[in-house]
Amino acid sequence: MTGLFLILQRKISNGGFGVMRKGLATIAAALALAGCASTPKVGGAPNLQVMDATELPVPDRSDLTEVDRPYIVGPFDKLMIDVFGIDELSKRKVQVDASGRISFPLVGVLTVAGNTPGEIEHLLEKRLAANYVRNPQVTVNLEETVSQVVTVEGQVRKPGLFPVVGRMTLLRAVALSGGTDEFAKLNEVVIFRTVRGEKFAALYSLKAIRLGAYPDPDVYANDVIVVGESRARRTFKDILQVVPLLTTPLIVAVDRFR
């Protein structure tokens, strides 16, 4: 209670009774959030729901075209395919078309989107064996990734789309974008994600992560990271008034963004 008294005392001295009423409302909202055991609504907005969680839900394959770990091939990715012992079928570069298919000699058209390179190897081996190739040994390597990207925008030095190969985290994604610029709000970093058709967003503090207050969260293909950008402030404006200092991630489910 001492901390609350000091806050009220400062607000009264700086702005009088009107400011005190606003301060009381803010404190009441903070206490309501802290004391609520169920999933509370923040700011009364119907499209925001605070979740009792420490990290965003992990997407499944349908959300990613679709990428888990390891890499899942998607449209427009480029592959290098080798069939051991058959020069005509080795070192062949193929690109996945918009519908997720490739064309390969003795195999024909094969749907590969949604599979790992290892799974594509087995698909090709099965098709080649069915076409009189004895014990085919196929190697598929990712030549160029186009479909599995994370978007980083807002107050970073080089906003854009960056490939997700292997494990990616928030700090790594920000580093790929050149790091934050001088106007970045390190405690207003938002990750937007869609999981099984439902939209989610999470508010993080880069400063807290760098200090080890909580783990550096994983990011996935199709995630959108916004650093100190107006959209993040609009989405979380009511929350930021109540929780200005982040010591843990703040997770919300967002039905739709306007």
Side-chain angles (χ1 to χ4, degrees):
M1 292 301 294
T2 303
L4 294 181
F5 174 76
L6 290 175
I7 293 172
L8 285 175
Q9 186 180 51
R10 185 177 298 117
K11 287 184 177 293
I12 293 170
S13 62
N14 290 339
F17 183 73
V19 177
M20 183 186 72
R21 290 179 60 189
K22 186 176 180 181
L24 284 171
T26 301
I27 293 169
L31 291 174
L33 284 175
C36 187
S38 61
T39 307
K41 292 249 178 117
V42 177
N47 62 333
L48 283 180
Q49 183 180 10
V50 176
M51 298 177 62
D52 184 15
T54 58
E55 61 183 25
L56 287 167
V58 177
D60 58 24
R61 292 195 179 192
S62 65
D63 301 307
L64 302 173
T65 6
E66 271 217 84
V67 72
D68 206 345
R69 273 75 162 166
Y71 187 85
I72 304 297
V73 172
F76 307 113
D77 285 344
K78 293 181 180 179
L79 307 175
M80 173 73 78
I81 301 177
D82 288 284
V83 180
F84 180 75
I86 305 178
D87 292 340
E88 295 81 0
L89 301 180
S90 296
K91 298 191 181 302
R92 299 187 71 97
K93 295 182 180 180
V94 299
Q95 184 172 28
V96 184
D97 66 17
S99 60
R101 302 179 300 176
I102 62 171
S103 179
F104 197 76
L106 299 180
V107 171
V109 176
L110 182 67
T111 299
V112 298
N115 292 282
T116 67
E119 289 169 341
I120 296 172
E121 291 173 356
H122 292 307
L123 291 173
L124 289 169
E125 288 171 353
K126 185 177 180 180
R127 285 285 190 92
L128 289 170
N131 285 279
Y132 310 106
V133 177
R134 176 180 290 184
N135 298 324
Q137 300 179 40
V138 180
T139 301
V140 176
N141 291 304
L142 183 66
E143 183 78 6
E144 181 179 338
T145 174
V146 178
S147 66
Q148 306 302 304
V149 295
V150 61
T151 302
V152 185
E153 65 168 10
Q155 300 302 319
V156 292
R157 299 185 186 279
K158 297 178 181 178
L161 306 177
F162 301 94
V164 178
V165 179
R167 184 171 181 263
M168 177 75 74
T169 66
L170 176 57
L171 287 182
R172 291 176 183 177
V174 172
L176 283 175
S177 65
T180 57
D181 64 21
E182 59 182 316
F183 302 108
K185 297 178 178 63
L186 298 182
N187 66 333
E188 294 183 21
V189 179
V190 182
I191 299 178
F192 296 95
R193 180 179 299 165
T194 300
V195 180
R196 290 180 289 277
E198 186 176 4
K199 295 182 182 297
F200 291 88
L203 179 64
Y204 294 95
S205 168
L206 290 181
K207 184 181 296 185
I209 294 171
R210 289 169 178 170
L211 292 174
Y214 52 82
D216 185 15
D218 284 348
V219 297
Y220 297 83
N222 298 332
D223 281 357
V224 177
I225 299 170
V226 182
V227 179
E229 197 261 344
S230 59
R231 180 183 179 187
R233 177 173 289 277
R234 285 197 301 271
T235 304
F236 288 96
K237 62 180 180 179
D238 295 323
I239 299 174
L240 294 176
Q241 291 174 0
V242 177
V243 194
L245 299 177
L246 292 177
T247 56
T248 59
L250 187 61
I251 314 296
V252 299
V254 184
D255 294 332
R256 63 180 181 274
F257 295 112
R258 297 184 183 274

